Amino acid sequence: MTDLFPAFDTLIVLDTETTGVNAQHDEIIELGAVRLRRDGAEFVADADLSCLIRLPTGRTVPPMIEKITGISQAMLDADGVGRREAAETLHDFMQGEKTLCVAYNAQFDLSFLYYFLARFGLADCLRGLKFLDALTVFRDRRPYPHKLENAIEAYDLGGQAVNSHRAIDDARATVCLLEAMAAEENDLDRYVNLFGYNPRYGISGKPIGSITYCAQSYDPHPPLYMLSE
């Protein structure tokens, strides 16, 4: 991923599992993140963050979410940390200069993270960061479908990565995917702060001020950064 030099010293690749799709009303139940630091001519894994998060009193894990993720209410009750503790841990984990935050379908995760952190006055750790959406890159590289599991299959990453719908596994899978996409075409820097969206449905959630959004077809097309120039 040499195209990301010298703009970034740190990559934080993250994923969330949630109780639904509405960032203002649903809750994060699991956080997973991998931090990579620049070491010479490559990025090297430096630290992981993985935690289950207890729900507010009166809220429970919906059956469909438990079916998808395998995360049960009993697991949160037994092993989850409080929301403030999780927010403070993530806030500290995100600190650093020249940091690029990466996720697969980043608009979804960043929307949840903003409301989650803002609840405790900790959203400042997102200010000034640059963002990369691995889904936007994958849509440019391969035709539909575009789930993370499809990307793992397309790049033959089954021996290195798994889309388990658990946050740390999916964050690690996204790291492997980034490396594979960079090896294929070293242009990840052109996608920084550029998010594609389905023109049929529009931008999901609240737009992020620093992001350029462009309608992105599900069919093969020129790279989105060429269309946005």
Side-chain angles (χ1 to χ4, degrees):
M1 297 182 279
T2 55
D3 60 310
L4 298 176
F5 299 163
F8 304 104
D9 291 330
T10 303
L11 304 184
I12 295 177
V13 184
L14 55 82
D15 185 71
T16 62
E17 301 300 335
T18 68
T19 59
V21 298
N22 188 318
Q24 289 182 272
H25 302 291
D26 289 310
E27 299 283 347
I28 297 175
I29 55 175
E30 187 175 44
L31 279 173
V34 179
R35 186 170 62 207
L36 301 96
R37 302 283 197 192
R38 183 176 173 182
D39 183 7
E42 61 182 349
F43 285 103
V44 177
D46 170 68
D48 288 354
L49 183 158
S50 179
C51 64
L52 293 168
I53 304 172
R54 292 194 299 271
L55 288 170
T57 302
R59 299 287 298 269
T60 58
V61 178
M64 180 59 71
I65 299 302
E66 181 176 351
K67 182 178 179 180
I68 292 171
T69 65
I71 300 172
S72 67
Q73 185 63 40
M75 291 169 61
L76 297 188
D77 292 340
D79 301 319
V81 301
R83 290 181 295 161
R84 176 176 288 278
E85 179 182 345
E88 291 174 347
T89 299
L90 178 63
H91 180 272
D92 293 344
F93 193 84
M94 300 282 285
Q95 297 303 310
E97 298 181 358
K98 300 176 70 174
T99 297
L100 177 66
C101 183
V102 185
Y104 195 88
N105 193 10
Q107 178 69 19
F108 178 90
D109 293 298
L110 292 172
S111 295
F112 268 91
L113 288 177
Y114 172 77
Y115 287 108
F116 179 68
L117 291 164
R119 181 182 293 131
F120 304 105
L122 297 171
D124 61 289
C125 66
L126 299 176
R127 291 194 199 99
L129 293 183
K130 303 291 187 181
F131 304 104
L132 174 64
D133 178 25
L135 171 58
T136 295
V137 182
F138 183 59
R139 281 177 178 157
D140 270 358
R141 303 288 182 86
R142 299 290 190 278
Y144 184 86
H146 295 122
K147 294 181 179 180
L148 180 56
E149 63 191 61
N150 304 127
I152 291 170
E153 181 179 0
Y155 285 92
D156 195 23
L157 300 174
Q160 310 169 53
V162 59
N163 175 211
S164 69
H165 296 289
R166 293 299 301 268
I168 191 61
D169 288 341
D170 290 358
R172 289 170 177 158
T174 301
V175 172
C176 294
L177 177 61
L178 277 180
E179 293 170 342
M181 292 193 297
E184 180 181 55
E185 183 68 38
N186 201 20
D187 64 353
L188 296 183
D189 62 314
R190 305 290 298 275
Y191 291 92
V192 172
N193 280 13
L194 175 64
F195 288 8
Y197 65 87
N198 186 332
R200 181 177 179 181
Y201 301 110
I203 301 168
S204 63
K206 183 179 179 180
I208 301 168
S210 60
I211 300 298
T212 297
Y213 295 92
C214 293
Q216 187 177 31
S217 170
Y218 278 9
D219 299 317
H221 50 72
L224 194 65
Y225 55 77
M226 294 179 63
L227 300 177
S228 66
E229 291 175 348

